[in-house]
Amino acid sequence: MSDFLHKMLQSSMDREARKMASNGGVTEQDRYGNLLDCVTGRDLENEEVNKQLDRISAMHKNAEEGRKQREKESAEWSRNMRQIVKDVENREQNRVNDFLTKHKDALDKGRETVRRQQNKSYFS
């Protein structure tokens, strides 16, 4: 099937070539067709400069979006770390409070003993 299509395409190209040759030669318009129409009247250098400026603008935009994303992630990590530190501090404070509650009687007895010893005068 592809041989058939190839033959048809080749015969069509040959027909067009004979037609152009019979019209008195091949012009640039015949050779390049609409390609010339696409570029005539256009400032290609200006278009290239505009493309480069668009690329630079897109790079700046991407960099700014990346910076904002990193700042957002950094702020989130900071909040998470502060929450972790707060949780640890609360857990430690609860542990201290539990210890003090559990050993309250022994601590009160020790304080009383220290107070009595401090009230004694050894050298009167």
Side-chain angles (χ1 to χ4, degrees), residues 31-121:
R31 206 177 277 155
Y32 300 111
N34 292 334
L35 182 61
L36 289 176
D37 294 337
C38 292
V39 293
T40 50
R42 287 174 45 191
D43 186 0
L44 297 178
E45 287 181 27
N46 192 24
E47 288 181 18
E48 186 62 30
V49 168
N50 288 339
K51 284 181 186 177
Q52 289 177 353
L53 290 176
D54 289 344
R55 282 188 220 122
I56 291 170
S57 175
M59 285 176 24
H60 283 292
K61 182 181 175 187
N62 290 341
E64 182 67 19
E65 289 174 358
R67 183 188 62 78
K68 287 179 182 178
Q69 181 66 27
R70 286 189 303 277
E71 286 177 355
K72 181 181 173 183
E73 290 172 355
S74 177
E76 184 178 339
W77 291 338
S78 295
R79 280 192 303 275
N80 289 343
M81 290 304 292
R82 283 193 296 273
Q83 185 62 41
I84 290 170
V85 168
K86 184 177 176 183
D87 290 346
V88 169
E89 288 173 346
N90 287 340
R91 189 168 46 245
E92 290 300 313
Q93 185 62 45
N94 289 340
R95 199 178 286 166
V96 167
N97 291 341
D98 290 344
F99 180 83
L100 291 176
T101 302
K102 183 177 180 181
H103 300 290
K104 184 179 183 333
D105 294 337
L107 289 170
D108 288 342
K109 187 175 180 181
R111 284 188 191 116
E112 181 60 31
T113 303
V114 169
R115 189 184 58 76
R116 272 189 271 131
Q117 289 296 324
Q118 287 173 341
N119 286 338
K120 284 186 181 178
S121 64

